[in-house]
Amino acid sequence: MGNSRITNIVSPNPASRRILITGGAGFLGSHLCERLLGLGHNVLCLDNFSTGRVENVEHLIGHAGFQLLRHDIVTPCSELAVDEIYNLACPASPPDYQADPIHTMKTSALGALNLLEFARERGIRIFQASTSEIYGDPHVHPQPEFYWGNVNPIGPRACYDEGKRCAETLFFDYARQYGVSIKVCRIFNTYGPRMRPNDGRVVSNFIVQALQGKNITIYGSGTQTRSFCYVDDLIEGFVRLMESPDDVTGPINLGNPDEFTIRELAEFVIDMTGSKSRIVHRALPVDDPQQRRPDIRRAREALAWKPTVGLAEGLSKTIAYFDRVLGVETTVSQESAA
Ligand code: NAD
Ligand code: UDP
């Protein structure tokens, strides 16, 4: 890794750690960078910028404790001086992770292997952003961590689901075989500012469509369910898990247990934006999970964590964000067209 030498991370106080965040320029990663800097840590944000954007962390560039590095975790990193790792690198939206399924699988499996080896050599703690997709199209509802899931290993979602399952296996084998300190969380659908407008996930799609007066595209009948967690709640869960005692390895579900149908979400977004958009139906993607809701008892007990932001509050902040971003984009494109 040619451009990886890190020389100017500073440690403003003794409790401060040097923290590597892979996928740090993505939606969740950028919020985590901010949060950890705010706690007085130094952050090395590593990203291949496949779905992440410099704009997400632009405001952090120049902060004494922040560094940005372009790198793909499929290639080992060897020269970094860090005390702990959050591994968030992986496209998360179905259209994104299916665009190059082989690279998605490599990112989850080889990326995890490289980072775990790195953590083992240095004796440092490593956190894995796993996913509710581990449960596939679940037969158990809500999903507790001890449920093994129902995943199609050869379908179009498998590059992501099986990749993340493989990563979990590697994490637990590195813990058992080498004593690496691991933290594995399973994230349920999370939304908020800094999702890409064209990311393809349901919350960003519906809000952007509503704000632009375009048709709201429900895939299938809209009776499938999801449980939506606001980003700030999730990041709080990340930090609590990372700071927890060694024996709290996870896997641990992090998500908001309030469950909605996709049709309810569409109607909610239309109401909140006052949009004139119409609902239209499109084909349901293959293997689309029909029901999803986290059982968060483990997170409540082990981390004293529960979400605090309801859907109305979270959507209102996210709508305000997209309103601003789309307004700017529209102004810029009108100016450049003039
Ligand atoms: P995102 O696409 O915004 O962020 C992913 C980041 O990883 C991007 O910045 C991307 O450029 C980077 N990346 C991808 N492959 C990489 C590679 N090989 N090397 C280096 N960087 C790479 O998505 P997100 O929602 O912020 O998701 C972050 C993590 O959380 C992912 O691992 C995802 O699987 C997990 N997750 C997210 C959700 C959610 O609802 N947001 C749900 C479950 C799991
Ligand atoms: N979905 C939808 N319209 C869209 C985007 C997504 O109806 O424009 C549906 C999708 O089929 C799924 C749910 O919304 O049932 C959540 O999709 P998303 O891609 O956000 O995340 P997933 O949980 O499927 O990974």
Side-chain angles (χ1 to χ4, degrees):
M1 173 169 169
N3 57 350
S4 66
R5 198 177 297 279
I6 300 304
T7 49
N8 62 342
I9 283 196
V10 292
S11 287
N13 70 62
S16 153
R17 296 191 294 276
R18 291 160 302 175
I19 303 179
L20 171 63
I21 305 177
T22 72
F27 159 50
L28 296 180
S30 61
H31 286 274
L32 183 61
C33 287
E34 239 169 34
R35 178 68 198 275
L36 293 176
L37 283 170
L39 290 172
H41 299 299
N42 298 306
V43 169
L44 172 55
C45 168
L46 180 154
D47 209 292
N48 72 352
F49 297 99
S50 52
T51 59
R53 302 176 296 175
V54 176
E55 299 94 284
N56 286 343
V57 289
E58 216 159 32
H59 58 297
L60 304 177
I61 295 172
H63 187 296
F66 182 74
Q67 276 220 307
L68 185 59
L69 178 67
R70 181 186 291 271
H71 180 71
D72 192 308
I73 61 164
V74 168
T75 306
C77 20
S78 53
E79 298 172 40
L80 310 179
V82 294
D83 303 316
E84 63 187 35
I85 305 171
Y86 283 85
N87 180 29
L88 273 64
C90 188
S93 159
D96 285 339
Y97 67 65
Q98 290 171 27
D100 185 350
I102 310 287
H103 198 263
T104 298
M105 180 56 97
K106 282 186 183 169
T107 293
S108 284
L110 291 178
L113 194 59
N114 289 334
L115 293 168
L116 283 160
E117 201 47 41
F118 181 91
R120 179 180 77 82
E121 283 165 5
R122 288 158 183 77
I124 61 176
R125 182 171 279 189
I126 179 165
F127 171 107
Q128 168 67 355
S130 192
T131 168
S132 54
E133 288 282 328
I134 292 288
Y135 305 118
D137 190 3
H139 291 153
V140 170
H141 196 74
Q143 294 81 54
E145 291 86 350
F146 54 79
Y147 175 50
W148 291 353
N150 173 43
V151 173
N152 174 0
I154 58 168
R157 295 177 88 97
C159 59
Y160 184 73
D161 300 12
E162 297 290 15
K164 290 283 190 180
R165 288 170 71 98
C166 175
E168 284 202 11
T169 306
L170 285 166
F171 267 72
F172 281 87
D173 282 339
Y174 265 75
R176 281 186 290 258
Q177 198 166 333
Y178 298 122
V180 172
S181 174
I182 62 159
K183 303 283 172 187
V184 177
C185 79
R186 293 180 177 159
I187 306 165
F188 285 65
N189 299 62
T190 299
Y191 68 99
R194 302 210 193 106
M195 297 181 90
R196 284 182 0 259
N198 59 350
D199 167 297
R201 286 181 270 191
V202 70
V203 174
S204 43
N205 270 12
F206 285 2
I207 292 177
V208 171
Q209 289 163 344
L211 290 175
Q212 295 184 331
K214 294 184 177 157
N215 290 338
I216 306 271
T217 54
I218 290 185
Y219 302 160
S221 64
T223 52
Q224 70 270 36
T225 68
R226 293 294 186 273
S227 307
F228 300 101
C229 185
Y230 188 65
V231 60
D232 291 354
D233 280 333
L234 184 79
I235 299 299
E236 176 64 28
F238 280 10
V239 174
R240 286 190 191 209
L241 177 56
M242 193 58 145
E243 299 298 324
S244 63
D246 257 339
D247 63 339
V248 183
T249 58
I252 198 152
N253 289 339
L254 292 178
N256 190 317
D258 293 343
E259 184 180 1
F260 298 88
T261 66
I262 294 304
R263 171 164 279 277
E264 283 171 333
L265 177 72
E267 286 165 353
F268 215 7
V269 169
I270 290 172
D271 277 357
M272 289 185 72
T273 53
S275 175
K276 301 263 182 300
S277 290
R278 282 186 321 117
I279 289 178
V280 297
H281 291 267
R282 298 284 176 260
L284 187 68
V286 175
D287 296 334
D288 199 277
Q290 282 307 291
Q291 265 191 316
R292 185 183 285 160
R293 173 154 68 99
D295 179 331
I296 60 164
R297 270 175 294 187
R298 196 177 276 185
R300 281 178 190 270
E301 283 160 21
L303 311 177
W305 177 88
K306 65 175 166 52
T308 59
V309 181
L311 189 60
E313 184 186 348
L315 279 182
S316 126
K317 291 179 177 175
T318 312
I319 290 167
Y321 166 79
F322 278 114
D323 206 15
R324 207 168 55 245
V325 171
L326 297 174
V328 170
E329 281 180 3
T330 311
T331 313
V332 169
S333 63
Q334 279 166 354
E335 279 168 3
S336 46

PDB file of all heavy atoms in Angstrom, residues 234-263:
ATOM      1  N   LEU A 234     -27.803   4.871  15.964  1.00  0.00           N
ATOM      2  CA  LEU A 234     -26.919   3.761  15.597  1.00  0.00           C
ATOM      3  C   LEU A 234     -25.479   4.050  16.028  1.00  0.00           C
ATOM      4  O   LEU A 234     -24.804   3.185  16.614  1.00  0.00           O
ATOM      5  CB  LEU A 234     -26.975   3.522  14.090  1.00  0.00           C
ATOM      6  CG  LEU A 234     -26.154   2.309  13.671  1.00  0.00           C
ATOM      7  CD1 LEU A 234     -26.914   1.018  13.957  1.00  0.00           C
ATOM      8  CD2 LEU A 234     -25.756   2.373  12.212  1.00  0.00           C
ATOM      9  N   ILE A 235     -25.020   5.264  15.760  1.00  0.00           N
ATOM     10  CA  ILE A 235     -23.621   5.609  16.078  1.00  0.00           C
ATOM     11  C   ILE A 235     -23.393   5.517  17.588  1.00  0.00           C
ATOM     12  O   ILE A 235     -22.347   5.050  18.051  1.00  0.00           O
ATOM     13  CB  ILE A 235     -23.275   7.028  15.538  1.00  0.00           C
ATOM     14  CG1 ILE A 235     -23.444   7.069  14.012  1.00  0.00           C
ATOM     15  CG2 ILE A 235     -21.874   7.448  15.950  1.00  0.00           C
ATOM     16  CD1 ILE A 235     -22.578   6.132  13.195  1.00  0.00           C
ATOM     17  N   GLU A 236     -24.397   5.908  18.360  1.00  0.00           N
ATOM     18  CA  GLU A 236     -24.295   5.755  19.820  1.00  0.00           C
ATOM     19  C   GLU A 236     -24.104   4.274  20.173  1.00  0.00           C
ATOM     20  O   GLU A 236     -23.276   3.919  21.022  1.00  0.00           O
ATOM     21  CB  GLU A 236     -25.565   6.321  20.476  1.00  0.00           C
ATOM     22  CG  GLU A 236     -25.647   6.158  21.987  1.00  0.00           C
ATOM     23  CD  GLU A 236     -24.560   6.919  22.738  1.00  0.00           C
ATOM     24  OE1 GLU A 236     -24.083   7.951  22.226  1.00  0.00           O
ATOM     25  OE2 GLU A 236     -24.178   6.459  23.837  1.00  0.00           O
ATOM     26  N   GLY A 237     -24.842   3.408  19.497  1.00  0.00           N
ATOM     27  CA  GLY A 237     -24.705   1.964  19.734  1.00  0.00           C
ATOM     28  C   GLY A 237     -23.311   1.466  19.360  1.00  0.00           C
ATOM     29  O   GLY A 237     -22.726   0.640  20.060  1.00  0.00           O
ATOM     30  N   PHE A 238     -22.776   1.955  18.237  1.00  0.00           N
ATOM     31  CA  PHE A 238     -21.417   1.562  17.809  1.00  0.00           C
ATOM     32  C   PHE A 238     -20.415   1.852  18.921  1.00  0.00           C
ATOM     33  O   PHE A 238     -19.591   1.013  19.288  1.00  0.00           O
ATOM     34  CB  PHE A 238     -20.963   2.394  16.595  1.00  0.00           C
ATOM     35  CG  PHE A 238     -21.486   1.965  15.260  1.00  0.00           C
ATOM     36  CD1 PHE A 238     -22.478   1.018  15.122  1.00  0.00           C
ATOM     37  CD2 PHE A 238     -20.957   2.526  14.091  1.00  0.00           C
ATOM     38  CE1 PHE A 238     -22.945   0.636  13.856  1.00  0.00           C
ATOM     39  CE2 PHE A 238     -21.402   2.151  12.840  1.00  0.00           C
ATOM     40  CZ  PHE A 238     -22.395   1.220  12.721  1.00  0.00           C
ATOM     41  N   VAL A 239     -20.471   3.104  19.417  1.00  0.00           N
ATOM     42  CA  VAL A 239     -19.462   3.538  20.387  1.00  0.00           C
ATOM     43  C   VAL A 239     -19.614   2.738  21.682  1.00  0.00           C
ATOM     44  O   VAL A 239     -18.629   2.276  22.267  1.00  0.00           O
ATOM     45  CB  VAL A 239     -19.574   5.061  20.626  1.00  0.00           C
ATOM     46  CG1 VAL A 239     -18.649   5.524  21.739  1.00  0.00           C
ATOM     47  CG2 VAL A 239     -19.255   5.814  19.331  1.00  0.00           C
ATOM     48  N   ARG A 240     -20.855   2.524  22.106  1.00  0.00           N
ATOM     49  CA  ARG A 240     -21.071   1.734  23.325  1.00  0.00           C
ATOM     50  C   ARG A 240     -20.535   0.325  23.163  1.00  0.00           C
ATOM     51  O   ARG A 240     -19.945  -0.248  24.088  1.00  0.00           O
ATOM     52  CB  ARG A 240     -22.550   1.679  23.683  1.00  0.00           C
ATOM     53  CG  ARG A 240     -23.027   2.985  24.237  1.00  0.00           C
ATOM     54  CD  ARG A 240     -24.424   2.844  24.811  1.00  0.00           C
ATOM     55  NE  ARG A 240     -24.932   4.167  25.093  1.00  0.00           N
ATOM     56  CZ  ARG A 240     -25.803   4.458  26.024  1.00  0.00           C
ATOM     57  NH1 ARG A 240     -26.312   3.496  26.776  1.00  0.00           N
ATOM     58  NH2 ARG A 240     -26.207   5.688  26.216  1.00  0.00           N
ATOM     59  N   LEU A 241     -20.756  -0.273  22.003  1.00  0.00           N
ATOM     60  CA  LEU A 241     -20.272  -1.636  21.780  1.00  0.00           C
ATOM     61  C   LEU A 241     -18.739  -1.662  21.790  1.00  0.00           C
ATOM     62  O   LEU A 241     -18.121  -2.524  22.433  1.00  0.00           O
ATOM     63  CB  LEU A 241     -20.823  -2.180  20.454  1.00  0.00           C
ATOM     64  CG  LEU A 241     -20.337  -3.572  20.041  1.00  0.00           C
ATOM     65  CD1 LEU A 241     -20.622  -4.621  21.126  1.00  0.00           C
ATOM     66  CD2 LEU A 241     -20.977  -4.009  18.723  1.00  0.00           C
ATOM     67  N   MET A 242     -18.136  -0.718  21.088  1.00  0.00           N
ATOM     68  CA  MET A 242     -16.665  -0.700  21.033  1.00  0.00           C
ATOM     69  C   MET A 242     -16.058  -0.508  22.426  1.00  0.00           C
ATOM     70  O   MET A 242     -15.006  -1.055  22.728  1.00  0.00           O
ATOM     71  CB  MET A 242     -16.219   0.422  20.093  1.00  0.00           C
ATOM     72  CG  MET A 242     -14.761   0.350  19.706  1.00  0.00           C
ATOM     73  SD  MET A 242     -14.334  -1.225  18.890  1.00  0.00           S
ATOM     74  CE  MET A 242     -13.106  -0.664  17.709  1.00  0.00           C
ATOM     75  N   GLU A 243     -16.729   0.271  23.273  1.00  0.00           N
ATOM     76  CA  GLU A 243     -16.204   0.568  24.616  1.00  0.00           C
ATOM     77  C   GLU A 243     -16.565  -0.516  25.631  1.00  0.00           C
ATOM     78  O   GLU A 243     -16.160  -0.432  26.789  1.00  0.00           O
ATOM     79  CB  GLU A 243     -16.763   1.914  25.127  1.00  0.00           C
ATOM     80  CG  GLU A 243     -16.410   3.128  24.276  1.00  0.00           C
ATOM     81  CD  GLU A 243     -14.915   3.374  24.195  1.00  0.00           C
ATOM     82  OE1 GLU A 243     -14.214   3.145  25.195  1.00  0.00           O
ATOM     83  OE2 GLU A 243     -14.452   3.771  23.106  1.00  0.00           O
ATOM     84  N   SER A 244     -17.328  -1.516  25.246  1.00  0.00           N
ATOM     85  CA  SER A 244     -17.814  -2.517  26.206  1.00  0.00           C
ATOM     86  C   SER A 244     -16.689  -3.479  26.585  1.00  0.00           C
ATOM     87  O   SER A 244     -15.672  -3.569  25.894  1.00  0.00           O
ATOM     88  CB  SER A 244     -19.002  -3.273  25.601  1.00  0.00           C
ATOM     89  OG  SER A 244     -18.587  -3.985  24.459  1.00  0.00           O
ATOM     90  N   PRO A 245     -16.850  -4.219  27.707  1.00  0.00           N
ATOM     91  CA  PRO A 245     -15.806  -5.151  28.128  1.00  0.00           C
ATOM     92  C   PRO A 245     -15.510  -6.202  27.055  1.00  0.00           C
ATOM     93  O   PRO A 245     -16.357  -6.480  26.200  1.00  0.00           O
ATOM     94  CB  PRO A 245     -16.413  -5.810  29.377  1.00  0.00           C
ATOM     95  CG  PRO A 245     -17.497  -4.908  29.824  1.00  0.00           C
ATOM     96  CD  PRO A 245     -17.994  -4.178  28.622  1.00  0.00           C
ATOM     97  N   ASP A 246     -14.319  -6.796  27.149  1.00  0.00           N
ATOM     98  CA  ASP A 246     -13.845  -7.776  26.157  1.00  0.00           C
ATOM     99  C   ASP A 246     -14.835  -8.908  25.886  1.00  0.00           C
ATOM    100  O   ASP A 246     -14.941  -9.377  24.755  1.00  0.00           O
ATOM    101  CB  ASP A 246     -12.544  -8.418  26.662  1.00  0.00           C
ATOM    102  CG  ASP A 246     -11.339  -7.829  25.949  1.00  0.00           C
ATOM    103  OD1 ASP A 246     -11.519  -7.272  24.857  1.00  0.00           O
ATOM    104  OD2 ASP A 246     -10.234  -7.933  26.515  1.00  0.00           O
ATOM    105  N   ASP A 247     -15.550  -9.352  26.941  1.00  0.00           N
ATOM    106  CA  ASP A 247     -16.415 -10.519  26.742  1.00  0.00           C
ATOM    107  C   ASP A 247     -17.703 -10.184  25.980  1.00  0.00           C
ATOM    108  O   ASP A 247     -18.442 -11.076  25.582  1.00  0.00           O
ATOM    109  CB  ASP A 247     -16.726 -11.205  28.089  1.00  0.00           C
ATOM    110  CG  ASP A 247     -17.488 -10.300  29.030  1.00  0.00           C
ATOM    111  OD1 ASP A 247     -17.431  -9.066  28.850  1.00  0.00           O
ATOM    112  OD2 ASP A 247     -18.146 -10.817  29.949  1.00  0.00           O
ATOM    113  N   VAL A 248     -17.971  -8.901  25.754  1.00  0.00           N
ATOM    114  CA  VAL A 248     -19.133  -8.532  24.927  1.00  0.00           C
ATOM    115  C   VAL A 248     -18.660  -8.486  23.470  1.00  0.00           C
ATOM    116  O   VAL A 248     -18.278  -7.443  22.954  1.00  0.00           O
ATOM    117  CB  VAL A 248     -19.730  -7.168  25.347  1.00  0.00           C
ATOM    118  CG1 VAL A 248     -20.972  -6.846  24.527  1.00  0.00           C
ATOM    119  CG2 VAL A 248     -20.038  -7.146  26.829  1.00  0.00           C
ATOM    120  N   THR A 249     -18.696  -9.627  22.819  1.00  0.00           N
ATOM    121  CA  THR A 249     -18.194  -9.687  21.439  1.00  0.00           C
ATOM    122  C   THR A 249     -19.302  -9.445  20.431  1.00  0.00           C
ATOM    123  O   THR A 249     -19.044  -9.158  19.274  1.00  0.00           O
ATOM    124  CB  THR A 249     -17.634 -11.090  21.151  1.00  0.00           C
ATOM    125  OG1 THR A 249     -18.684 -12.036  21.370  1.00  0.00           O
ATOM    126  CG2 THR A 249     -16.443 -11.404  22.033  1.00  0.00           C
ATOM    127  N   GLY A 250     -20.565  -9.636  20.829  1.00  0.00           N
ATOM    128  CA  GLY A 250     -21.658  -9.733  19.882  1.00  0.00           C
ATOM    129  C   GLY A 250     -21.703 -11.162  19.377  1.00  0.00           C
ATOM    130  O   GLY A 250     -21.066 -12.043  19.973  1.00  0.00           O
ATOM    131  N   PRO A 251     -22.409 -11.435  18.273  1.00  0.00           N
ATOM    132  CA  PRO A 251     -23.115 -10.432  17.482  1.00  0.00           C
ATOM    133  C   PRO A 251     -24.244  -9.797  18.274  1.00  0.00           C
ATOM    134  O   PRO A 251     -24.879 -10.448  19.103  1.00  0.00           O
ATOM    135  CB  PRO A 251     -23.652 -11.225  16.290  1.00  0.00           C
ATOM    136  CG  PRO A 251     -23.747 -12.636  16.775  1.00  0.00           C
ATOM    137  CD  PRO A 251     -22.648 -12.803  17.773  1.00  0.00           C
ATOM    138  N   ILE A 252     -24.457  -8.528  17.970  1.00  0.00           N
ATOM    139  CA  ILE A 252     -25.466  -7.777  18.704  1.00  0.00           C
ATOM    140  C   ILE A 252     -26.271  -6.939  17.709  1.00  0.00           C
ATOM    141  O   ILE A 252     -25.685  -6.232  16.895  1.00  0.00           O
ATOM    142  CB  ILE A 252     -24.769  -6.938  19.804  1.00  0.00           C
ATOM    143  CG1 ILE A 252     -25.705  -6.473  20.877  1.00  0.00           C
ATOM    144  CG2 ILE A 252     -23.983  -5.790  19.264  1.00  0.00           C
ATOM    145  CD1 ILE A 252     -25.020  -6.281  22.219  1.00  0.00           C
ATOM    146  N   ASN A 253     -27.586  -7.094  17.746  1.00  0.00           N
ATOM    147  CA  ASN A 253     -28.452  -6.330  16.833  1.00  0.00           C
ATOM    148  C   ASN A 253     -28.490  -4.870  17.244  1.00  0.00           C
ATOM    149  O   ASN A 253     -28.691  -4.564  18.435  1.00  0.00           O
ATOM    150  CB  ASN A 253     -29.894  -6.842  16.900  1.00  0.00           C
ATOM    151  CG  ASN A 253     -30.081  -8.213  16.271  1.00  0.00           C
ATOM    152  OD1 ASN A 253     -29.277  -8.646  15.446  1.00  0.00           O
ATOM    153  ND2 ASN A 253     -31.154  -8.899  16.666  1.00  0.00           N
ATOM    154  N   LEU A 254     -28.348  -3.967  16.274  1.00  0.00           N
ATOM    155  CA  LEU A 254     -28.574  -2.541  16.517  1.00  0.00           C
ATOM    156  C   LEU A 254     -29.572  -2.046  15.480  1.00  0.00           C
ATOM    157  O   LEU A 254     -29.313  -2.119  14.270  1.00  0.00           O
ATOM    158  CB  LEU A 254     -27.266  -1.745  16.412  1.00  0.00           C
ATOM    159  CG  LEU A 254     -26.208  -2.001  17.491  1.00  0.00           C
ATOM    160  CD1 LEU A 254     -24.949  -1.170  17.214  1.00  0.00           C
ATOM    161  CD2 LEU A 254     -26.723  -1.695  18.899  1.00  0.00           C
ATOM    162  N   GLY A 255     -30.695  -1.597  15.941  1.00  0.00           N
ATOM    163  CA  GLY A 255     -31.730  -1.111  15.030  1.00  0.00           C
ATOM    164  C   GLY A 255     -32.911  -0.642  15.855  1.00  0.00           C
ATOM    165  O   GLY A 255     -32.959  -0.833  17.068  1.00  0.00           O
ATOM    166  N   ASN A 256     -33.853  -0.008  15.169  1.00  0.00           N
ATOM    167  CA  ASN A 256     -35.047   0.492  15.839  1.00  0.00           C
ATOM    168  C   ASN A 256     -36.167  -0.545  15.676  1.00  0.00           C
ATOM    169  O   ASN A 256     -36.498  -0.898  14.547  1.00  0.00           O
ATOM    170  CB  ASN A 256     -35.465   1.827  15.210  1.00  0.00           C
ATOM    171  CG  ASN A 256     -36.536   2.511  16.012  1.00  0.00           C
ATOM    172  OD1 ASN A 256     -37.477   1.865  16.473  1.00  0.00           O
ATOM    173  ND2 ASN A 256     -36.398   3.805  16.191  1.00  0.00           N
ATOM    174  N   PRO A 257     -36.725  -1.053  16.764  1.00  0.00           N
ATOM    175  CA  PRO A 257     -37.724  -2.111  16.633  1.00  0.00           C
ATOM    176  C   PRO A 257     -39.107  -1.661  16.139  1.00  0.00           C
ATOM    177  O   PRO A 257     -39.975  -2.512  15.931  1.00  0.00           O
ATOM    178  CB  PRO A 257     -37.808  -2.703  18.044  1.00  0.00           C
ATOM    179  CG  PRO A 257     -37.203  -1.711  18.946  1.00  0.00           C
ATOM    180  CD  PRO A 257     -36.357  -0.774  18.146  1.00  0.00           C
ATOM    181  N   ASP A 258     -39.306  -0.360  15.907  1.00  0.00           N
ATOM    182  CA  ASP A 258     -40.604   0.074  15.360  1.00  0.00           C
ATOM    183  C   ASP A 258     -40.676  -0.358  13.895  1.00  0.00           C
ATOM    184  O   ASP A 258     -39.844   0.053  13.089  1.00  0.00           O
ATOM    185  CB  ASP A 258     -40.756   1.600  15.431  1.00  0.00           C
ATOM    186  CG  ASP A 258     -40.840   2.087  16.869  1.00  0.00           C
ATOM    187  OD1 ASP A 258     -41.094   1.260  17.767  1.00  0.00           O
ATOM    188  OD2 ASP A 258     -40.611   3.292  17.086  1.00  0.00           O
ATOM    189  N   GLU A 259     -41.699  -1.166  13.590  1.00  0.00           N
ATOM    190  CA  GLU A 259     -41.757  -1.797  12.264  1.00  0.00           C
ATOM    191  C   GLU A 259     -42.853  -1.141  11.412  1.00  0.00           C
ATOM    192  O   GLU A 259     -43.948  -0.870  11.913  1.00  0.00           O
ATOM    193  CB  GLU A 259     -42.075  -3.279  12.471  1.00  0.00           C
ATOM    194  CG  GLU A 259     -42.083  -4.119  11.234  1.00  0.00           C
ATOM    195  CD  GLU A 259     -42.425  -5.584  11.566  1.00  0.00           C
ATOM    196  OE1 GLU A 259     -42.661  -5.911  12.754  1.00  0.00           O
ATOM    197  OE2 GLU A 259     -42.461  -6.392  10.624  1.00  0.00           O
ATOM    198  N   PHE A 260     -42.548  -0.893  10.142  1.00  0.00           N
ATOM    199  CA  PHE A 260     -43.509  -0.262   9.223  1.00  0.00           C
ATOM    200  C   PHE A 260     -43.547  -1.030   7.912  1.00  0.00           C
ATOM    201  O   PHE A 260     -42.528  -1.565   7.484  1.00  0.00           O
ATOM    202  CB  PHE A 260     -43.090   1.186   8.912  1.00  0.00           C
ATOM    203  CG  PHE A 260     -43.054   2.070  10.132  1.00  0.00           C
ATOM    204  CD1 PHE A 260     -41.901   2.154  10.904  1.00  0.00           C
ATOM    205  CD2 PHE A 260     -44.173   2.786  10.528  1.00  0.00           C
ATOM    206  CE1 PHE A 260     -41.861   2.964  12.043  1.00  0.00           C
ATOM    207  CE2 PHE A 260     -44.148   3.591  11.663  1.00  0.00           C
ATOM    208  CZ  PHE A 260     -42.994   3.677  12.424  1.00  0.00           C
ATOM    209  N   THR A 261     -44.708  -1.022   7.263  1.00  0.00           N
ATOM    210  CA  THR A 261     -44.726  -1.540   5.893  1.00  0.00           C
ATOM    211  C   THR A 261     -44.116  -0.454   4.992  1.00  0.00           C
ATOM    212  O   THR A 261     -44.107   0.744   5.343  1.00  0.00           O
ATOM    213  CB  THR A 261     -46.155  -1.853   5.399  1.00  0.00           C
ATOM    214  OG1 THR A 261     -46.876  -0.623   5.305  1.00  0.00           O
ATOM    215  CG2 THR A 261     -46.875  -2.838   6.310  1.00  0.00           C
ATOM    216  N   ILE A 262     -43.683  -0.894   3.828  1.00  0.00           N
ATOM    217  CA  ILE A 262     -43.090   0.062   2.885  1.00  0.00           C
ATOM    218  C   ILE A 262     -44.171   1.029   2.381  1.00  0.00           C
ATOM    219  O   ILE A 262     -43.905   2.201   2.145  1.00  0.00           O
ATOM    220  CB  ILE A 262     -42.391  -0.716   1.745  1.00  0.00           C
ATOM    221  CG1 ILE A 262     -41.197  -1.501   2.324  1.00  0.00           C
ATOM    222  CG2 ILE A 262     -41.959   0.202   0.617  1.00  0.00           C
ATOM    223  CD1 ILE A 262     -40.162  -0.679   3.074  1.00  0.00           C
ATOM    224  N   ARG A 263     -45.390   0.552   2.283  1.00  0.00           N
ATOM    225  CA  ARG A 263     -46.479   1.459   1.897  1.00  0.00           C
ATOM    226  C   ARG A 263     -46.677   2.534   2.974  1.00  0.00           C
ATOM    227  O   ARG A 263     -46.843   3.722   2.658  1.00  0.00           O
ATOM    228  CB  ARG A 263     -47.787   0.690   1.651  1.00  0.00           C
ATOM    229  CG  ARG A 263     -48.983   1.600   1.455  1.00  0.00           C
ATOM    230  CD  ARG A 263     -50.173   0.907   0.858  1.00  0.00           C
ATOM    231  NE  ARG A 263     -50.086   0.784  -0.573  1.00  0.00           N
ATOM    232  CZ  ARG A 263     -50.411   1.731  -1.444  1.00  0.00           C
ATOM    233  NH1 ARG A 263     -50.863   2.898  -1.039  1.00  0.00           N
ATOM    234  NH2 ARG A 263     -50.318   1.519  -2.734  1.00  0.00           N
TER     235      ARG A 263
END
